[in-house]
Amino acid sequence: MEQFESYNKSFINGQWVEGKSGRDYQNKNPYNDSTINTIPLATKKQLEDAYIKAKQAQKEWAKSSAEERKNVLKKVSSYLDEHRDEIVQLIARETGGSLIKASVEVDLTIALVDEAINMPDELNRVNEKGAAVEGKVNKVHKLPLGVITSISPFNFPMNLSMRTIAPAIALGNAVVHKPDNQTALTGGSILARAFEKAGLPEGVFNSILTDLDEIGDYMIETPHSPLISFTGSTPVGKHIAEKAGSMLKRVALELGGNNPFIVLEDADLDRAVDAAIFGKFIHQGQICMIINRIIVHEKLYDSFIEKFVDRVKEIPSGDPTEEGVIVGPLINEEQVESALEIIETAKKEGANLVLEGKREGNLLTPYIFTDVKNDSELAQTELFAPIATIIKATTDDEAIEMANDTPYGLSSSIFTSDLEKGEKLALKIESGMTHINDQTVNDNPTIPFGGTKESGVGKFGNPWIVEEFTITKWVSIQEEYRDFPF
């Protein structure tokens, strides 16, 4: 067994380096407030050094063969699988997620690495294109981009980190990665250990444990990285996009969501309730793709509420490391206080509270509001908490209009018995992803994952991420002497 809690240092240039800021971060279990480990935070100078070492290492890594890169990734996948049970427990302790959530996260992470094993050959594929000039051959190459900056969140820290890291490394890039300190182990240190054990050359992957008080905007402004991959809130994403845009840097941003779950008049009610339960309450609602608004046709509205409330009352809550628990704690006290403020505002706005939860420390059991207005603060806020909002629609068209009435556009879903109609309506919803007869929380390493509007820029998943993380270069070869007009 690995003693993962002991990995409290940054991983820079293949070495575990203690942070020199003189400040520590207490990484705590959100359920019982116990300390998992104490992290000495790295300085801006240490971060700068990581970028310099990464830039040097990337030049050599770009020369590596496809087989070399594949072998490293295969070993990373095996390492994560070998330590799966330990990692599942640590995800539950560090994120507050249930064992079901933690298991899903590890499986997704391994799947991302396995899919990245298919990417190294992309650098060897040369596409020839036709030429208008006689005797000219046009070739299109893909080259590594350089040093990728990766910044990941607390909610699904392992797979939301790896979906950037694994493709970047597979494609000959180096990575400087910063996980959220609240999930420093599962979002950073375990991944660093996996690549270390896999024999990745020094400097190709670096994981920095630090905070904004130390580094400010350096990860955005550094001249050593041409792309920033960030998953997190829309306000922070806008800040990154503004700074990066002024430097003509690329960005891959997966941001907030206000995801609609639409139940049409002809939907299978029981199936819709099943999906809504999962899509609303997995990981206490702390997922960018989570169902934020449940929009139900008026003919099914009352029946849906009755079945939904009865089911939600039975959802087990408590210590997420215990088998059977579904709803665990929110990530910290600030998130709990924010959720309680939303609840109080919703009551004042006149929403009907049909199920009132309770607070125990950072644990918040489910709340359900009905008769919610789509333009209310409750409906227009990304909740990130176990708070369900149910909205009545008089027609299917109105349901689609309500779904689109948000600045966000990440995920969405439609329940209907008419699959052809469902697919046509899916194309009318302004979101990057729409799932018919399923809930909004779906991911797969071979789909174009990403949002529209204020939910982000760029696409993850193979082959779309290949375009994000490489340079496309045109090389022309004039095989016969060309006659010029002057």
Side-chain angles (χ1 to χ4, degrees), residues 274-292:
D274 286 345
I277 296 287
F278 178 89
K280 175 66 253 185
F281 295 109
I282 182 173
H283 199 33
Q284 300 76 260
Q286 297 176 117
I287 305 174
C288 54
M289 293 180 287
I290 209 76
I291 294 171
N292 214 57

Side-chain angles (χ1 to χ4, degrees), residues 113-340:
V113 179
D114 290 344
E115 184 58 34
I117 293 168
N118 297 320
M119 297 180 190
D121 289 325
E122 291 296 322
L123 299 182
N124 299 327
R125 292 195 176 98
V126 179
N127 293 323
E128 289 197 14
K129 301 295 182 181
V133 177
E134 188 175 347
K136 181 181 289 294
V137 176
N138 290 319
K139 296 186 177 183
V140 180
H141 296 256
K142 290 192 182 302
L143 305 175
L145 188 59
V147 180
I148 304 298
T149 292
S150 170
I151 306 171
S152 65
F154 69 82
N155 53 348
F156 268 69
M158 183 165 279
N159 80 293
L160 294 182
S161 299
M162 192 61 92
R163 73 176 180 184
T164 291
I165 296 164
I169 289 173
L171 294 165
N173 300 292
V175 177
V176 175
H177 171 65
K178 181 192 175 303
D180 190 310
N181 285 332
Q182 297 172 109
T183 50
L185 291 172
T186 49
S189 297
I190 293 176
L191 305 183
R193 180 62 173 158
F195 280 105
E196 180 186 36
K197 292 288 285 184
L200 184 70
E202 294 179 355
V204 176
F205 176 66
N206 306 269
S207 179
I208 308 298
L209 306 183
T210 187
D211 63 11
L212 293 180
D213 289 342
E214 288 293 330
I215 65 173
D217 281 338
Y218 184 78
M219 294 191 82
I220 311 172
E221 297 172 342
T222 175
H224 302 302
S225 175
L227 185 146
I228 301 143
S229 177
F230 169 78
T231 300
S233 72
T234 294
V236 175
K238 286 182 176 181
H239 174 74
I240 290 172
E242 182 179 1
K243 290 277 186 178
S246 69
M247 301 177 71
L248 297 181
K249 288 190 177 190
R250 297 191 198 181
V251 292
L253 306 175
E254 196 237 299
L255 308 176
N258 186 1
N259 310 301
F261 177 90
I262 301 171
V263 183
L264 300 181
E265 181 181 3
D266 63 351
D268 182 316
L269 189 60
D270 291 328
R271 295 289 189 183
V273 170
D274 286 345
I277 296 287
F278 178 89
K280 175 66 253 185
F281 295 109
I282 182 173
H283 199 33
Q284 300 76 260
Q286 297 176 117
I287 305 174
C288 54
M289 293 180 287
I290 209 76
I291 294 171
N292 214 57
R293 293 170 295 153
I294 301 172
I295 303 171
V296 185
H297 191 282
E298 61 180 4
K299 289 188 177 180
L300 299 180
Y301 188 75
D302 292 337
S303 298
F304 181 93
I305 291 171
E306 181 181 358
K307 290 176 179 287
F308 185 76
V309 172
D310 286 345
R311 286 280 310 281
V312 174
K313 287 178 179 178
E314 302 303 317
I315 295 177
S317 61
D319 185 346
T321 64
E322 294 181 0
E323 292 286 350
V325 168
I326 300 300
V327 172
L330 296 181
I331 190 66
N332 56 40
E333 185 177 1
E334 183 180 352
Q335 287 288 115
V336 179
E337 294 295 338
S338 175
L340 292 174

Side-chain angles (χ1 to χ4, degrees), residues 26-155:
Q26 299 297 318
N27 182 10
K28 294 191 172 184
N29 181 326
Y31 178 69
N32 58 23
D33 205 39
S34 63
T35 298
I36 297 173
N37 67 355
T38 301
I39 300 167
L41 297 176
T43 63
K44 180 179 178 182
K45 176 64 167 59
Q46 289 179 298
L47 176 61
E48 291 172 347
D49 289 345
Y51 274 107
I52 291 170
K53 296 297 184 182
K55 191 171 184 178
Q56 294 169 346
Q58 189 274 328
K59 293 177 182 178
E60 292 302 314
W61 183 240
K63 299 175 186 177
S64 64
S65 69
E67 286 306 311
E68 287 178 85
R69 297 194 294 277
K70 289 178 183 180
N71 286 336
V72 166
L73 292 166
K74 287 175 183 177
K75 290 177 182 178
V76 168
S77 177
S78 296
Y79 178 88
L80 295 175
D81 187 55
E82 178 186 349
H83 295 281
R84 187 182 188 283
D85 292 343
E86 300 165 66
I87 295 170
V88 165
Q89 286 291 326
L90 192 52
I91 288 174
R93 289 172 57 206
E94 202 173 38
T95 71
S98 68
L99 294 177
I100 292 174
K101 178 264 185 190
S103 296
V104 168
E105 182 165 1
V106 175
D107 290 343
L108 281 172
T109 304
I110 293 172
L112 284 164
V113 179
D114 290 344
E115 184 58 34
I117 293 168
N118 297 320
M119 297 180 190
D121 289 325
E122 291 296 322
L123 299 182
N124 299 327
R125 292 195 176 98
V126 179
N127 293 323
E128 289 197 14
K129 301 295 182 181
V133 177
E134 188 175 347
K136 181 181 289 294
V137 176
N138 290 319
K139 296 186 177 183
V140 180
H141 296 256
K142 290 192 182 302
L143 305 175
L145 188 59
V147 180
I148 304 298
T149 292
S150 170
I151 306 171
S152 65
F154 69 82
N155 53 348

